[in-house]
Amino acid sequence: MATSRINRRLHEAFELSLLFKTLFALSELISGLGVYLIPPGRVMDVARWITGRELLEDPNDFVASHLLDLAASYSIGTQQFWAIYLVGHAVIKLAVVTGLILRIRWTYPASIWVLFGFIAYQIERYIKTQSSMMIFLTLFDLVVIWLIWHEYKVMKADTAR
């Protein structure tokens, strides 16, 4: 009885993690399309609009100056990289999540390998940027991997009966 309750809770956590992965993938897809459609020149216009008032008050403002520097270095190559990265990442994630939702057996181990690939990239990005977001995403992905593995084990046991 206790085992079935635990398995039910873990299944609910698994489904919730799929919901989060789906929402995040959709936001990446929309962001990637937005990045692709917005011309690099508009990025600089928006950065000027955002920082204009602050730079009038303090021409040496650290955040505003860095935002303008980032916008100035935003090129067509940068735009294409981020658009392809975001859309590609989203499509892969949506394909894997769809397979898991449909309970397609081979997508369980495949999704674990895909997530390990994402983790490797996130660790590499953390080493370069020290972004705490990369640590959060990695920890979340590790939990999702464990939930996928558990769900796969349960599915195999149910099929064997």
Side-chain angles (χ1 to χ4, degrees), residues 78-90:
T78 303
Q79 175 193 28
Q80 290 173 343
F81 167 79
W82 282 110
I84 291 168
Y85 172 80
L86 288 168
V87 170
H89 197 259

Side-chain angles (χ1 to χ4, degrees), residues 113-127:
W113 285 109
V114 166
L115 286 173
F116 274 128
F118 289 160
I119 287 171
Y121 178 74
Q122 289 159 192
I123 290 170
E124 184 266 339
R125 292 302 309 156
Y126 175 76
I127 290 168

Side-chain angles (χ1 to χ4, degrees), residues 70-153:
L70 281 172
S73 67
Y74 188 74
S75 66
I76 290 175
T78 303
Q79 175 193 28
Q80 290 173 343
F81 167 79
W82 282 110
I84 291 168
Y85 172 80
L86 288 168
V87 170
H89 197 259
V91 167
I92 291 168
K93 197 179 291 180
L94 287 171
V96 165
V97 168
T98 300
L100 293 171
I101 290 169
L102 296 175
R103 299 181 56 86
I104 299 170
R105 182 173 242 172
W106 65 265
T107 59
Y108 288 77
S111 64
I112 289 170
W113 285 109
V114 166
L115 286 173
F116 274 128
F118 289 160
I119 287 171
Y121 178 74
Q122 289 159 192
I123 290 170
E124 184 266 339
R125 292 302 309 156
Y126 175 76
I127 290 168
K128 287 184 178 179
T129 65
Q130 304 298 305
S131 169
S132 57
M133 181 56 99
M134 293 297 114
I135 296 295
F136 171 76
L137 290 173
T138 298
L139 293 174
F140 180 71
D141 284 345
L142 287 170
V143 169
V144 172
I145 286 170
W146 186 84
L147 290 169
I148 293 168
W149 174 78
H150 181 268
E151 194 74 15
Y152 184 58
K153 238 176 44 173

Side-chain angles (χ1 to χ4, degrees), residues 21-107:
K21 286 286 186 189
T22 301
L23 294 174
F24 194 66
L26 290 173
S27 70
E28 285 178 318
L29 183 63
I30 292 166
S31 298
L33 294 173
V35 165
Y36 179 74
L37 295 173
I38 297 171
R42 280 297 287 151
V43 172
M44 189 61 178
D45 294 341
V46 170
R48 283 189 190 115
W49 178 75
I50 290 171
T51 61
R53 185 173 296 157
E54 186 60 36
L55 289 173
L56 282 175
E57 290 176 20
D58 178 8
N60 298 316
D61 183 272
F62 180 80
V63 174
S65 298
H66 279 77
L67 183 61
L68 279 178
D69 289 343
L70 281 172
S73 67
Y74 188 74
S75 66
I76 290 175
T78 303
Q79 175 193 28
Q80 290 173 343
F81 167 79
W82 282 110
I84 291 168
Y85 172 80
L86 288 168
V87 170
H89 197 259
V91 167
I92 291 168
K93 197 179 291 180
L94 287 171
V96 165
V97 168
T98 300
L100 293 171
I101 290 169
L102 296 175
R103 299 181 56 86
I104 299 170
R105 182 173 242 172
W106 65 265
T107 59

Side-chain angles (χ1 to χ4, degrees), residues 9-24:
R9 294 278 189 239
L10 289 173
H11 179 73
E12 290 168 356
F14 170 74
E15 289 180 334
L16 188 60
S17 74
L18 293 181
L19 174 66
F20 285 135
K21 286 286 186 189
T22 301
L23 294 174
F24 194 66

